Structures are given as C-alpha cells and as structure tokens.
Amino acid sequence: MLSNGVKRELTWVVTSTWLLLFFAWLTGFWVETFAFFILIYIARNLWSMHKFEKWMEGRKQSSYPPASGFWSELTYLVSKKQRALEKHADLNLYKSEQFKAASMLIPDAIVSLDQRNVIEWFNTVSKSLLGVRRQDVGSKIESVIRQPEFVQYLKSQKFHKPLTVNSNYRQSRTVEMQVIPYFENHKLLVVRDITELYQLAQIRRDFIANASHELRTPLTVLRGYLEVMIDTPGEHHKAWGLPLEHMETQSLRMQAIIEDLLTLSTIEAESITAVKEVVDVPLMLHQLEIDAKQLGNENHQFTFEVEEALTIKGYAEPLKSVFMNLVSNAVRYSPDGGEIDVRWFKENANIVFEVQDSGLGISQEHIPRLTERFYRVDKDRSRVTGGTGLGLAIVKHVLERHNARLYIDSVLGKGSVFRCEFPVAKS
Ligand code: ADP
C-alpha cells in the first residue's frame, strides 16, 4: 500500500507529465521540455527539503511549514509525533513537579540521593532539620551531615532499621534517620524529629527506673528484718516459721524483678549515648562458667566451648546480662543432671553465642512471644525457679542494640537451643 504522501506526489508527477507532453507536442521541443521538467522537479524537491530542514531546526515545531506532496505528509507525521512526545514530556514534568510539591508538605525531612550519595533534591523541612541548602545540591550528603553515626550508618548499607541520634545541627533535638533505597540505586533519606516521642518514652523509662530504685531501699529493710526474724530462735518460729520463709522467697523475687527492671531501663537509656568497646567475651564466659555451676548447685553437666581470642565490639555490661540470662535459664529449666552446652565461635559472617540444654523444652506456640516482658510459659514453674519474666526481654533488647539476632529452637520434653548471631564488624 502506498502512503498518502507518495500517492499525492505521483498524482502531481502524472498530471505534470501530461501537461508537458501536450506542450512538447504543440511546440515540438521534446528534449528541452523534458530537461526543463526534470530541473523544475529537482528544484521543487530541494526547496521543500530546505524548508523541512529549517522547520526541524526551528523552535515553533507545532505549526506546519508550507510544503506540498510527499513533503507535506512527512512534516505532518513528524509534527504529530513531536507533539505526542511533548505532551508526554509535559505529563512527566507535571507528575514530577506534583511529587515534589507533595514532598514539600511532608512534615519529615526528605533528601533524594543518587548512587554516589550525592544530593539531587530536598524538601523544605530538610533546611530547618538538617541544614541542607540550595547550594548543597550536587554535593555528597556526608559533607552536609557530618555526624559520625550517620556516616557509619550510610557506609554500613544496613538500612532495615532507622538510626536514632541527637541532632548535631539542631541541638537538643532527637532525630530518627532512615535511608530507603529506591529506583535504580537511588536513595531517599527520611529524617523525623522524634524529640517529643523520645521524651515521652524517656519519661516512662525514668518512671520505671525511679520507681524500681525507690522500691529497692524499703525492700532491703524488709528483707533485713525478715532475715533477722528467721535467724533468731524463739517462740515466733512455731507459728511464723513457714510464712516467714515464704515472705523471704517473695521478697527475693521482688528484688530480682526490680533489678531486672533497672537493667532494662539502663540499657534503654544508654541506647543513644553509649559508645561501643572491644569486649573480651572469652574472659567473661570463663567467669560465667564458675557462676553457672554455683547457680545449679553443681548438679548439671556443663560444656563450655569458647573460641579464645574471639572478641566483639559492643557494650560489655549488657552483653554480660545476655549471656547470664540465657545460661541461667538453661540451668533453671533443666532437671538435675541435665547437659548444658555453651558455645562461642565464628561462623561465616557471624559470631555466635549458643546455649543448648536438655531440659523441659518449649512448645512451638510460645516461642514467638518469649521475649515479651513478663511472658512466661509456665507461671508457677517460673516462680519456683525464681524467674522474673524479664530475662529474655533484656536479651532481645541488648541484641537489637548490637544488630544481632536471636534464634530459638526447642522441642518440648527434649530441650532448647538459644542462638545469638552477631554480625562481624566490617571495620
Ligand atoms: P523467666 O525469668 O520467667 O525465666 P525469661 O524471660 O527468661 O523469664 O523467659 C521467659 C519464659 O521462657 C520462661 O518463663 C520460660 O517459660 C521460658 N524459657 C526460657 N528459657 C528456657 C529454657 N532454656 N527452657 C525452657 N523454657 C525456657
């Protein structure tokens, strides 16, 4: 099928040829007439080509140039395509402007970064919250936000969790920073001012810490009196011997709960400010081996397999309470004679702390909830063994601060494995 333009051109050529034949027949100048016709035809096409070229170069491409035949069809098609493209580009521009306008209204700071962490654009809040200025577009984000924690976070490429820090730019503000990868290695840096939220959480933490602290002294006094009454022989022992012992057991439990609550709030309070140090875990575990044996009254069979010289970067005291909690659980939830294996070793990209016992085990439905505060599988058993219900909550919290994970594998009646995987530090 011939296109419209070619058809029109053919019509023109055929009509002109007939006219020329008639003219040549009238005059008898056949050769000159045809030579003249070819010249005119070439000149006409050259002129159309020239106009088409000028029109293509020109800016006003929406209007058609005066052209005829094949050329008019070609310019029409080109101009139609051009307008469709312009419309598409306009729509894209509109959409991108709309997105930017919407992002300006978001109450969080948003900065778009390319694959090299160079700032592409940012919203209004970024100016007040992070101090990003117009002239920073094209610079690396690390040269604008120089906070070491942020630089480290960006380098780590671990963006599944946000980073909470005290803002360097706006003193006394607490911010939560999160990098969200998007579109071909680009990233969105989203920063929220969580000062009020953080302060509320702080008030709650302070309240628990203060209440626990305040309860400590009266409880110590009560326990002192109880001990004296138990240890002093006399008439009162006949009627009060058993209740006094119950009172002492319960006061010991209260003391353990208070201590655990204080540990939890200390760990939470330190989460922004504390600095990691190299922790000599093997040394810690050797001490723990002695304590664990005493805790189980030498009734359990312990195996400690510790990779010597395998240290870790972290927070010493919280790590100690993780190890202590897991080992003391293994002791408390295993019958006398039970085997308890404690391991500290490196495996691929992780450093692993593992406690395996051959004790009571836990049925599957409880496992996801074990790290909740005060969650106990068997309340009575936990009470008898002196449990506070906070041990695994402490473990979970400390592991989160180390970007570590807790895996629990257990078979009811057979035993459990509690495994902590610490990522090996890159630096
Ligand atoms: P608790 O102080 O009651 O032991 P934890 O937070 O340490 O509190 O543990 C929560 C619950 O998980 C415990 O009450 C217990 O039922 C269960 N648990 C923890 N460790 C073990 C274990 N090694 N074997 C069996 N059950 C366990």
Side-chain angles (χ1 to χ4, degrees):
M1 265 305 267
L2 292 174
S3 72
N4 285 343
V6 176
K7 272 188 210 157
R8 241 182 277 165
E9 188 71 5
L10 269 177
T11 318
W12 187 88
V13 171
V14 171
T15 321
S16 311
T17 313
W18 277 113
L19 280 171
L20 276 173
L21 279 173
F22 181 64
F23 184 76
W25 175 71
L26 270 183
T27 56
F29 293 114
W30 290 93
V31 178
E32 290 84 345
T33 307
F34 274 99
F36 179 69
F37 171 73
I38 288 165
L39 259 174
I40 291 285
Y41 185 69
I42 292 173
R44 176 180 171 271
N45 272 311
L46 281 174
W47 178 240
S48 294
M49 245 158 104
H50 168 72
K51 277 200 296 184
F52 181 73
E53 198 183 327
K54 282 272 163 240
W55 175 78
M56 282 292 281
E57 282 171 359
R59 292 192 168 266
K60 282 175 120 191
Q61 293 186 2
S62 48
S63 59
Y64 310 125
S68 52
F70 170 74
W71 290 98
S72 82
E73 188 66 18
L74 193 64
T75 33
Y76 169 71
L77 289 175
V78 171
S79 126
K80 204 168 129 187
K81 264 256 148 48
Q82 186 74 25
R83 262 190 284 171
L85 280 174
E86 276 170 9
K87 221 170 160 182
H88 193 67
D90 279 353
L91 196 70
N92 278 347
L93 191 71
Y94 174 72
K95 278 186 183 165
S96 121
E97 290 301 320
Q98 201 182 28
F99 172 73
K100 278 190 193 168
S103 79
M104 293 296 163
L105 300 176
I106 293 175
D108 301 336
I110 299 180
V111 184
S112 168
L113 309 172
D114 72 5
Q115 52 270 61
R116 292 179 304 119
N117 296 331
V118 168
I119 301 174
E120 292 177 320
W121 58 263
F122 57 90
N123 70 349
T124 326
V125 182
S126 310
K127 291 183 209 160
S128 54
L129 196 59
L130 304 170
V132 187
R133 298 155 309 160
R134 194 183 281 269
Q135 56 266 43
D136 293 328
V137 171
S139 313
K140 284 200 164 201
I141 188 74
E142 301 96 308
S143 64
V144 180
I145 308 173
R146 292 164 186 263
Q147 214 156 341
E149 299 95 322
F150 172 70
V151 176
Q152 184 60 35
Y153 173 67
L154 206 61
K155 235 169 123 189
S156 76
Q157 300 276 335
K158 286 182 192 139
F159 303 135
H160 57 280
K161 257 176 45 187
L163 168 78
T164 306
V165 281
N166 287 324
S167 169
N168 258 9
Y169 180 69
R170 288 189 63 192
Q171 299 295 317
S172 74
R173 305 303 288 177
T174 307
V175 292
E176 189 182 79
M177 304 173 136
Q178 180 142 33
V179 170
I180 304 163
Y182 81 111
F183 185 63
E184 292 176 356
N185 290 333
H186 283 59
K187 299 180 200 88
L188 269 190
L189 168 66
V190 183
V191 184
R192 285 172 69 201
D193 184 344
I194 56 157
T195 311
E196 278 72 32
L197 263 176
Y198 189 76
Q199 275 168 355
L200 269 178
Q202 188 64 44
I203 290 170
R204 179 183 63 82
R205 280 194 293 269
D206 285 353
F207 173 76
I208 295 174
N210 290 338
S212 315
H213 202 76
E214 291 298 322
L215 283 170
R216 228 184 193 175
T217 322
L219 195 64
T220 315
V221 175
L222 278 177
R223 283 206 49 223
Y225 280 121
L226 280 172
E227 266 170 32
V228 173
M229 287 169 85
I230 289 168
D231 291 344
T232 316
E235 268 303 299
H236 65 281
H237 259 279
K238 277 188 195 144
W240 287 97
L242 206 61
L244 279 175
E245 269 170 32
H246 274 164
M247 280 156 89
E248 195 187 26
T249 315
Q250 293 307 318
S251 66
L252 273 171
R253 272 198 64 221
M254 271 171 82
Q255 201 170 26
I257 292 174
I258 287 168
E259 294 304 329
D260 273 0
L261 279 173
L262 276 170
T263 309
L264 250 181
S265 48
T266 313
I267 292 165
E268 283 181 330
E270 280 176 350
S271 58
I272 289 190
T273 48
V275 180
K276 281 185 179 172
E277 53 183 325
V278 176
V279 183
D280 189 347
V281 177
L283 186 72
M284 217 177 238
L285 293 181
H286 293 317
Q287 182 56 45
L288 181 69
E289 189 173 353
I290 300 165
D291 297 345
K293 282 178 182 162
Q294 277 174 4
L295 185 74
N297 294 326
E298 310 277 344
N299 287 329
H300 298 84
Q301 299 174 43
F302 283 99
T303 318
F304 271 73
E305 291 168 42
V306 178
E307 216 173 286
E308 300 300 333
L310 183 59
T311 57
I312 193 173
K313 235 180 156 191
Y315 309 99
E317 278 309 309
L319 279 175
K320 201 168 165 182
S321 59
V322 167
F323 304 148
M324 190 61 208
N325 270 305
L326 293 179
V327 174
S328 83
N329 276 356
V331 172
R332 289 188 295 115
Y333 298 105
S334 296
D336 285 354
E339 286 171 18
I340 296 170
D341 296 339
V342 179
R343 298 181 200 102
W344 174 250
F345 58 98
K346 198 170 168 201
E347 189 181 79
N348 305 325
N350 292 309
I351 295 179
V352 182
F353 176 74
E354 200 171 72
V355 182
Q356 181 169 9
D357 66 57
S358 54
L360 305 177
I362 309 154
S363 65
Q364 292 304 307
E365 74 267 22
H366 294 293
I367 291 179
R369 300 197 58 192
L370 290 183
T371 54
E372 287 174 21
R373 287 169 196 210
F374 297 113
Y375 187 85
R376 296 168 180 114
V377 175
D378 180 346
K379 279 203 166 62
D380 295 334
R381 167 97 203 171
S382 181
R383 258 179 220 132
V384 172
T385 61
T388 62
L390 290 168
L392 291 181
I394 293 175
V395 169
K396 179 188 157 196
H397 215 92
V398 175
L399 292 188
E400 268 175 11
R401 281 186 60 200
H402 288 84
N403 291 323
R405 279 167 169 263
L406 175 69
Y407 297 93
I408 305 170
D409 193 8
S410 191
V411 180
L412 197 60
K414 288 229 155 84
S416 320
V417 181
F418 285 76
R419 181 183 167 98
C420 312
E421 285 187 2
F422 298 85
V424 176
K426 279 190 183 138
S427 57

